[in-house]
Amino acid sequence: MSRVTLSRYLIEQTRSHNTPADLRFLIEVVARACKEISHAVSKGALGGVLGSMGTENVQGEVQKKLDVISNEILLEANEWGGHLAGMASEEMDNAYQIPGQYPKGAYLLVFDPLDGSSNIDVNVSVGTIFSVLRCPDRNGESGDLGEEAFLQPGTQQVAAGYAIYGPQTMLMLTLGDGVMGFTLDREMGSFVLTHENIRVPESTAEFAINMSNQRHWEAPVQRYVSELLAGKEGPLGKNYNMRWIASMVADVHRILTRGGLFMYPRDAREPEKPGKLRLMYEANPMSMLIEQAGGAATNGTQRILDIQPESLHQRVAVFLGSKEEVERATAYHQG
Ligand code: AHM
Ligand code: MG
């Protein structure tokens, strides 16, 4: 059987679905950057890449060396190719401007360069999450690209995906027509299509939430999780299993593989912030992947992809995965 590489898949998409050539190029470049990040991550202590930088990002979180390295790899790979009008990242306060000497393109790339960074030093899976938007028409304006250009609801994403750096490095991708999974063949250096048209089972008996925050949750989440924990004897009449990896990529990857429900609700620790996770480069791309695989994603009250973002680093509560449980958790928020 001939192997379908990411490049071949993208060329076939260009032919059959009119995927623009510059979008194909963009995805290829992101994938190449992810290979480089995978390589840096895998070196661990031997590469001197573990530990912190001693700096904080815009969210006040301590930056790990690999957060910064991964961010730089993505910026450098993508800035010169002429396919982007700008970039934004978890690790940068403001929109990144394409340097003046390079041509500009039609797309915007938004990413979390290394998600789950609390897991880097303990050798647990981490990943890169990315989202691609079209740059709105700037009416001939040539100055710096402002944050407003990026503030588009997730329904406007033209592509989304993540790379997971685990026992295998994989790239999960959607161009809005299903979800494809590619595994990195390290000898060949290419991503090979190994998981076609991934589907999330509608029902599940597995959930993921950081239980240590229980006392801070709002009433609907308290009720829902207590029913999950009550198992067969409780109102839901079935036993549930729990997993929490603390890398969203790894938790979402498990859900795309065998179903499940992922929750990071808003809580009373920082009442002014609606949750921990970020809308533009965590929740939106993951929600597009999950919906494209037949699952659902809400913030408890509305579909995540319909939310109109108000700022680049906006937070959002997340309930995503198998449809039946996302719908149940969402219904509990309705009263
Ligand atoms: P990060 O982008 O700084 O790595 O934070 C996001 C991560 C997610 O990957 C994960 O789901 C969550 O934070 C874990 O949070 P907690 O440490 O509260 O369990
Ligand atoms: Mg993250």
Side-chain angles (χ1 to χ4, degrees):
M1 200 188 77
S2 76
R3 297 179 359 144
V4 176
T5 59
L6 176 67
S7 306
R8 177 168 161 192
Y9 169 75
L10 290 170
I11 286 171
E12 283 170 3
Q13 285 297 305
T14 311
R15 284 202 206 112
S16 61
H17 288 76
N18 283 328
T19 302
D22 50 347
L23 178 59
R24 184 183 98 204
F25 180 63
L26 193 172
I27 304 291
E28 293 247 29
V29 175
V30 170
R32 206 177 306 145
C34 290
K35 272 188 243 175
E36 220 178 300
I37 298 171
S38 170
H39 191 62
V41 167
S42 70
K43 282 187 182 163
L46 295 176
V49 292
L50 302 184
S52 296
M53 289 290 288
T55 52
E56 284 185 355
N57 65 13
V58 62
Q59 353 252 339
E61 298 160 339
V62 173
Q63 288 180 303
K64 301 276 189 177
K65 285 185 196 160
L66 273 168
D67 282 327
V68 175
I69 294 170
S70 307
N71 195 54
E72 276 164 13
I73 290 175
L74 280 156
L75 294 178
E76 277 172 23
N78 282 287
E79 66 182 4
W80 53 269
H83 50 284
L84 288 178
M87 291 184 255
S89 155
E90 174 172 330
E91 303 303 334
M92 299 183 297
D93 303 12
N94 304 311
Y96 181 83
Q97 308 297 323
I98 301 298
Q101 71 266 37
Y102 301 128
K104 293 187 183 57
Y107 296 101
L108 299 172
L109 178 66
V110 190
F111 48 83
D112 179 352
L114 202 63
D115 181 62
S117 30
S118 74
N119 279 323
I120 295 171
D121 294 348
V122 293
N123 201 2
V124 169
S125 299
V126 290
T128 300
I129 311 174
F130 63 92
S131 158
V132 181
L133 296 159
R134 262 190 208 93
C135 186
D137 190 2
R138 300 185 69 211
N139 299 321
E141 207 188 304
S142 58
D144 274 5
L145 185 70
E147 168 167 336
E148 340 59 76
F150 293 82
L151 305 181
Q152 308 177 38
T155 46
Q156 299 299 311
Q157 293 172 107
V158 292
Y162 64 81
I164 179 167
Y165 314 119
Q168 304 105 43
T169 287
M170 287 191 71
L171 182 82
M172 309 297 271
L173 174 70
T174 181
L175 300 173
D177 183 26
V179 179
M180 302 289 169
F182 302 83
T183 305
L184 180 62
D185 179 331
R186 290 178 205 273
E187 280 85 57
M188 302 299 292
S190 46
F191 281 107
V192 178
L193 181 61
T194 47
H195 297 63
E196 230 170 307
N197 284 318
I198 292 162
R199 303 299 295 169
V200 176
E202 285 209 6
S203 325
T204 182
E206 201 160 63
F207 69 99
I209 193 166
N210 184 342
M211 282 297 297
S212 70
N213 298 325
Q214 182 172 23
R215 67 193 182 286
H216 306 296
W217 298 338
E218 294 175 332
V221 182
Q222 295 282 2
R223 174 186 164 202
Y224 176 61
V225 175
S226 71
E227 291 184 6
L228 295 174
L229 295 175
K232 215 167 169 34
E233 293 73 37
L236 305 182
K238 91 182 182 198
N239 291 329
Y240 287 80
N241 187 25
M242 202 198 89
R243 288 284 185 274
W244 184 252
I245 305 177
S247 279
M248 191 191 198
V249 273
D251 280 310
V252 169
H253 193 72
R254 184 188 60 255
I255 291 170
L256 281 175
T257 309
R258 68 176 187 212
L261 171 69
F262 173 92
M263 293 176 272
Y264 212 120
R266 66 184 302 153
D267 66 40
R269 284 175 299 171
E270 293 184 282
E272 70 292 352
K273 291 184 188 155
K276 173 180 181 184
L277 299 178
R278 274 62 46 122
L279 176 62
M280 303 282 308
Y281 40 82
E282 291 175 330
N284 270 344
M286 292 310 203
S287 299
M288 182 176 181
L289 285 164
I290 289 284
E291 282 199 7
Q292 284 292 320
T298 76
N299 67 352
T301 51
Q302 83 179 111
R303 183 183 176 214
I304 287 178
L305 295 181
D306 284 335
I307 297 173
Q308 172 60 51
E310 281 161 12
S311 66
L312 216 46
H313 300 286
Q314 180 172 337
R315 313 228 173 191
V316 67
V318 176
F319 298 81
L320 64 74
S322 294
K323 223 177 199 162
E324 213 173 74
E325 296 300 337
V326 174
E327 282 170 2
R328 198 194 316 271
T330 307
Y332 285 15
H333 284 79
Q334 259 89 69

